[in-house]
Every structure is written in C-alpha cells, then in structure tokens.
Amino acid sequence: MRDQTYKPRDSWWTVWLVDPLASRLVKATANRTNITPNQLTVAALILGLLSAACFFLADWYWLLTGALLFHLSFVLDCMDGKIARLKGNGSVFGSWLDYVFDRIRVLLCGIALMGGQFAITGNPVFLWVLLAIVFTDMFRYLNSPQMAKVRSAMRRHIAQAIREVEEHAGEQDSGRVRQAAGGFAGTDDNVNDGMGDEESSVSIGGAERVQAPTSASDDDDETDEEGVITPNRKAKHLQSTALQKGFDKRFPWYRRVRDMLWANRIRPHLFSGIEFQMGVFIVAPLVGMFSVTGMVATIIGSAVFMLTFELLIIYKLWLSTREFVRVTQNMNETLETLDLSGLARHRPAA
C-alpha cells in the first residue's frame, strides 16, 4: 500500500509529519469505508473553516485549537490523493475541487488569523501581514505552472532539434536546427507534460488525483520498436544534464545534497507552498500563544523563506534557458558528447 499511496518525493513536512498518520488513516478508510476522495476534500475544507473560526477568536486556546484543526485539515487533504491513487477513482473534477478548496481554506484562514488580531488591537500592521500571506501563497501557485510550461516547451523544441539533426545527418546545414530553437520565443502551450524540475513542481489542483497514463505508455514514446532511444527521451536527458551545467557549475554541491534528500523521499525544494502554509497556520499560531510579535515574525519569516526558494528556482530556470539556446544551436556537437549509457533499455522479450 505504501508504494501505491506515497509519492516518490514529497515535502519534508509531509514525509515526516503527515504521512505517518495519513498512511494509517488511508488503510482504515480504504478497507472499511466507501469514502471517496471528493468527500475527503470537502471534509478538509470543513476542518479548515473551523480552523479559521478558531483563529478569529484569537485567544491562546483558540489559536492552539485552530492550529491543530489546520493540521488535521491538511492530513485529510493529503489523504484524498492517496485514496484516489490506491482505488483508482480520481477525477479531473476532483483535481479542480482540491485546488479551489485549498485556495479558499488559505484565504479564509489568513483573513481570520490576521482579522482576529486586528479586531483586538486595531493595529493596521495585521492587515499588511494578511496582504503578504495572500500574495505569497498566490505567487507560488501562479508561478509554478508557468515555469512548468517553459520547461515543457524547451523539452519539445530540443526533441524537434534532435529530429532535425538525425533526419539530416548527412547535411552540413544546421539552419533548420536554429530555426527550431528560434521558434521557442513564440510558444504558448498550456500542456504540462511533467518535465518540470522536481524542485519547482507542485501539486496544482491535486493533479495526482487524476489517473495518468501508465509508465508503459510513456516508454512507448521514449523507445521505438527496435529499442532505440527516441528524440523525446534524449531531450529529457539533455534537459536534466546539459541544461543544468550552468547551475551545476555555480553550485557543485547541489546534486550531492539533492541525492541525499531524494534517498529519504524528500524533494530539494525545502520551503515550498506546503511549508509556507504550515509555518503561517500551524507554527505561527502556536508561537502566537506566547507572543503576538513572534507570530508576525514567524509569518514574515515563512514568506521570506518561500520567496527565497522561488527566486532560486527562477534563477535555475534562467540559467537553463541560456544553456537551451547553446544546446539547440549546436545540436550536432551536443549529440556527439551526449552520454546515453544511463538510458540504455532492454528490448522486451517477444
């Protein structure tokens, strides 16, 4: 069941503080009830609304109760995707519902937490902090799919450039390759094919609740009938190697740290939207039981950490776009130095 419900990599908050409880609840829910993922999504929202009501009351015991309710709300929010993957009953509508309810929960809890403090003190600083909460959360969830679109477009254009080279291997003119690369600037494709870096990926609308094609169908696109690695597979490899040279050169230690985190199922994006929400709606209220100033400082610190990681990811994307131009304009040379040993595949037995 663990292999079916756990994501290969997730946020450290989820791995350490949610999955141990959620996995047990998922087992009981899947085996003993007919509860659907959508029902869990609605239940998560209800707990979120109760959490918001507690935050607005503002006394220390209500802040504690609100933080606990928000954590339970997030546990249910994680369970809906796990149940969907386990039972195979996810839906596109469920993904939309998950996304919209998440945004409603964050917005209302932010209004309630800061509104409750403003109602008691009349200090307008809480309204500014509320604005910061809303902006930071929305920036993350608007930025992530846009970055995924850019990476998806780069991957497709690299694959097209590889096809051009392979189809005209005997020609010296590389003008068509440069033309393929130049077409990138006008790309406006809404398809996200999952090629975004692990660090910047995020579950937008609970995408894991939709039954995606099996890995076998993906493999069909990556090897031909003779077992030869296709341009799409080569493009994926180039995107994770050649396009990351600029970043790797500046941060040579990054891959070692990443691999260490991956070994523990933790993604390198250590302060994502999940950690931001937990910092604002769990850690901050707990700190607020003792110090309102500490609560505000915790919220601001959470926002700063998340925006810092977002800027690092944007910087990493910018470096990869520079490498993208170089790679596509010199595709012949790039393919000559491409090491495909790690991509070798065995042709299935007849």
Side-chain angles (χ1 to χ4, degrees), residues 40 90 121 172 188 193 207 247 272 277-278 289 305 313 343:
L40 288 172
T121 65
Q172 298 299 319
D188 183 17
D193 62 0
F247 187 83
S272 64
Q277 290 182 28
M278 302 307 112
M289 293 168 55
F305 273 117
I313 293 171
L343 301 181

Side-chain angles (χ1 to χ4, degrees), residues 154 158 177-178 181-182 184 243 318-331 334:
M154 287 195 293
I158 291 173
V177 175
R178 288 193 294 271
F184 168 75
L243 263 60
W318 176 69
L319 290 176
S320 69
T321 59
R322 295 178 64 186
E323 294 295 327
F324 165 78
V325 175
R326 180 187 62 79
V327 166
T328 51
Q329 289 184 344
N330 301 279
M331 187 56 69
T334 300

Side-chain angles (χ1 to χ4, degrees), residues 23-44:
S23 61
R24 290 173 172 80
L25 294 177
V26 164
K27 184 176 181 179
T29 302
N31 292 335
R32 302 176 184 178
T33 73
N34 293 319
I35 295 176
T36 67
N38 287 351
Q39 289 172 337
L40 288 172
T41 302
V42 173

Side-chain angles (χ1 to χ4, degrees), residues 2 13 53 191 196 200 205-206 296 310 345:
R2 178 189 175 108
W13 185 283
V191 176
S200 62
V296 172
E310 290 299 304
R345 292 173 179 268

Side-chain angles (χ1 to χ4, degrees), residues 97-116:
L97 195 71
D98 191 37
Y99 176 77
V100 172
F101 281 9
D102 279 351
R103 306 282 61 78
I104 292 174
R105 179 180 57 187
V106 170
L107 177 62
L108 293 181
C109 283
I111 292 174
L113 183 61
M114 293 296 96

Side-chain angles (χ1 to χ4, degrees), residues 24-285:
R24 290 173 172 80
L25 294 177
V26 164
K27 184 176 181 179
T29 302
N31 292 335
R32 302 176 184 178
T33 73
N34 293 319
I35 295 176
T36 67
N38 287 351
Q39 289 172 337
L40 288 172
T41 302
V42 173
L45 176 64
I46 293 173
L47 285 181
L49 296 178
L50 293 175
S51 175
C54 293
F55 287 151
F56 187 76
L57 296 175
D59 287 323
W60 71 266
Y61 42 86
W62 288 119
L63 291 177
L64 173 61
T65 304
L68 293 175
L69 286 174
F70 192 91
H71 181 68
L72 291 176
S73 174
F74 183 68
V75 170
L76 291 183
D77 193 37
C78 292
M79 285 177 60
D80 58 14
K82 296 179 187 299
I83 291 290
R85 290 191 293 273
L86 183 63
K87 290 189 171 183
N89 59 351
S91 67
V92 174
F93 178 76
S95 295
W96 173 86
L97 195 71
D98 191 37
Y99 176 77
V100 172
F101 281 9
D102 279 351
R103 306 282 61 78
I104 292 174
R105 179 180 57 187
V106 170
L107 177 62
L108 293 181
C109 283
I111 292 174
L113 183 61
M114 293 296 96
Q117 298 300 321
F118 176 74
I120 292 175
T121 65
N123 190 337
V125 71
F126 293 107
L127 301 181
W128 288 105
V129 175
L130 169 61
L131 182 63
I133 292 172
V134 174
F135 169 80
T136 306
D137 180 72
M138 293 308 301
F139 176 79
R140 168 63 180 161
Y141 282 88
L142 291 174
N143 182 49
S144 180
Q146 294 304 313
M147 295 181 71
K149 285 170 58 179
V150 173
R151 291 191 178 90
S152 176
M154 287 195 293
R155 199 283 300 262
R156 290 194 304 274
H157 280 274
I158 291 173
Q160 178 60 29
I162 292 173
R163 292 188 188 96
E164 295 286 351
V165 169
E166 293 179 345
E167 290 173 2
H168 303 84
E171 301 178 10
Q172 298 299 319
D173 181 16
S174 60
R176 297 184 70 181
V177 175
R178 288 193 294 271
Q179 181 180 5
F184 168 75
T187 298
D188 183 17
D189 194 337
N190 290 324
V191 176
N192 177 5
D193 62 0
M195 282 303 300
D197 285 352
E198 183 75 24
E199 305 92 298
S200 62
S201 65
V202 68
S203 174
I204 301 298
E208 72 278 3
R209 291 178 54 178
V210 182
Q211 289 298 298
T214 64
S215 58
S217 64
D218 293 338
D219 288 344
D220 291 342
D221 190 45
E222 294 176 356
T223 57
D224 61 16
E225 294 180 354
E226 300 298 325
V228 177
I229 299 172
T230 65
N232 283 339
R233 180 59 172 169
K234 293 177 183 178
K236 290 181 180 181
H237 185 60
L238 282 173
Q239 195 163 34
S240 64
T241 55
L243 263 60
Q244 306 306 322
K245 284 184 176 180
F247 187 83
D248 291 341
K249 182 178 180 180
R250 291 166 175 80
F251 304 96
W253 47 265
Y254 167 75
R255 287 185 180 269
R256 292 193 300 272
V257 174
R258 181 202 64 183
D259 292 344
M260 179 184 68
L261 292 171
W262 280 3
N264 293 280
R265 211 167 59 83
I266 297 173
R267 63 190 183 198
H269 190 183
L270 294 177
F271 216 95
S272 64
I274 291 175
E275 286 80 11
F276 170 71
Q277 290 182 28
M278 302 307 112
V280 171
F281 300 118
I282 296 180
V283 179

